[in-house]
Amino acid sequence: MKNFSSIKRKTLSSIAVTASLALAASVAAIGTAHSAATVKVVITGTASCAKDATPTVVTITPKKGKTGSDETPGDEQSEQYTITLTGIPNNGTTATAKVTCLDDEGDVNTPKKKDVPIKKPANNSPLTLNIP
């Protein structure tokens, strides 16, 4: 009887190992398929505010992918920014770009908003997006 129990244990153990490997292979395949279908897009440009105000934060929120933001020095009426977005579909998506401005009195103005298309340039260079 001990022999039968030992054989049964080895068989069940083999089945469990095989099932685990099959599950791991499935998850790896799904992860690979997902990562191949999305890209990273670097966006650079300038953000501007009205007279007597400076941009402090630029945020880009894509409909598909992860939101990115960049804090600017807030010294000038127009500031440079760089944001890296991940999870952007290969065929692109649309996004909302927001600029938060701080006026001379220290008040935060309603963020400027602009809807923009986001797609990785064919030459893999950064996408330029100026937000006036």
Side-chain angles (χ1 to χ4, degrees), residues 46-50 53-60 68-79 81 83 96-103 106-114 131-132:
T46 58
S48 302
C49 291
T54 58
T56 57
V57 179
V58 178
T59 305
I60 300 178
S69 65
D70 188 18
E71 291 185 24
T72 64
D75 296 330
E76 303 293 328
Q77 184 180 350
S78 182
E79 294 280 358
Y81 73 91
I83 296 174
T96 301
K98 293 181 186 179
V99 179
T100 302
C101 299
L102 183 67
D103 68 20
D107 295 325
V108 175
N109 297 328
T110 305
K112 291 177 130 187
K113 294 182 182 179
K114 182 178 181 181
I131 308 168

Side-chain angles (χ1 to χ4, degrees):
M1 192 85 150
K2 264 186 173 182
N3 245 355
F4 179 74
S5 186
S6 175
I7 292 170
K8 189 175 182 181
R9 246 183 292 162
K10 285 181 183 179
T11 303
L12 288 175
S13 179
S14 296
I15 291 171
V17 168
T18 303
S20 295
L21 291 174
L23 179 61
S26 307
V27 170
I30 290 170
T32 303
H34 177 69
S35 63
T38 63
V39 294
K40 176 171 69 171
V41 178
V42 177
I43 302 169
T44 62
T46 58
S48 302
C49 291
K51 189 175 182 185
D52 299 330
T54 58
T56 57
V57 179
V58 178
T59 305
I60 300 178
T61 306
K63 289 190 178 184
K64 295 180 181 177
K66 294 184 181 178
T67 297
S69 65
D70 188 18
E71 291 185 24
T72 64
D75 296 330
E76 303 293 328
Q77 184 180 350
S78 182
E79 294 280 358
Q80 296 285 326
Y81 73 91
T82 300
I83 296 174
T84 301
L85 299 177
T86 58
I88 302 301
N90 275 336
N91 60 348
T93 188
T94 57
T96 301
K98 293 181 186 179
V99 179
T100 302
C101 299
L102 183 67
D103 68 20
D104 287 346
E105 296 174 6
D107 295 325
V108 175
N109 297 328
T110 305
K112 291 177 130 187
K113 294 182 182 179
K114 182 178 181 181
D115 289 332
V116 294
I118 302 292
K119 187 172 184 178
K120 186 169 186 131
N123 61 1
N124 290 328
S125 65
L127 174 66
T128 300
L129 175 61
N130 296 317
I131 308 168

